[in-house]
Amino acid sequence: MTPEKLLAAAERRIRKLEAKIADQQATIRDLRAEARDFAALQAKIVDLKEDITELKGEIKEVTRANHEHVARNEALKDENARLRSGSKSPKGLAVTLEVANRKEAAAA
């Protein structure tokens, strides 16, 4: 082989290796970007888990309050029905609400 052909072959090999290096560098940049995105997603997951835990607590509180409201509503409906029927009770609504409060305590 002549020196010119050897030089041309070496230059081709150098360009090929440079292209390979450029591809690898692009791959490394992409992987680093994915790693940053993944880390950000992991942080977001932790935040969302905390939010979910808070919401579960709020759901329990709202459910408890709803049970209390339902018990009071039922007690008031019973008292309303009793009053409409004309029956008299010396304690009236206080007794009905006490029954409702006992239902609430049992539900809690």
Side-chain angles (χ1 to χ4, degrees):
M1 255 189 177
T2 64
E4 292 83 20
K5 287 186 180 183
L6 286 173
L7 183 59
E11 287 175 351
R12 280 194 302 274
R13 185 167 168 89
I14 289 170
R15 281 192 297 274
K16 187 176 178 181
L17 290 172
E18 285 173 343
K20 187 174 180 179
I21 289 170
D23 288 344
Q24 289 175 346
Q25 287 174 338
T27 302
I28 289 169
R29 281 191 300 274
D30 291 344
L31 290 173
R32 284 183 178 161
E34 284 182 31
R36 282 190 303 272
D37 293 345
F38 184 72
L41 288 174
Q42 284 180 321
K44 193 166 197 156
I45 286 170
V46 169
D47 290 342
L48 289 173
K49 283 183 179 180
E50 291 171 0
D51 290 346
I52 288 170
T53 302
E54 270 184 45
L55 289 173
K56 283 181 180 179
E58 289 179 25
I59 288 170
K60 286 180 183 178
E61 179 62 26
V62 168
T63 301
R64 184 198 56 76
N66 187 42
H67 287 300
E68 290 176 3
H69 179 72
V70 167
R72 280 198 182 105
N73 193 24
E74 288 175 357
L76 290 172
K77 282 182 181 178
D78 292 345
E79 180 65 13
N80 192 18
R82 186 191 63 76
L83 290 172
R84 285 182 185 205
S85 70
S87 65
K88 304 274 181 178
S89 172
K91 296 181 184 177
L93 184 59
V95 171
T96 307
L97 288 176
E98 178 61 32
V99 170
N101 288 335
R102 278 190 236 134
K103 286 181 183 178
E104 291 171 17

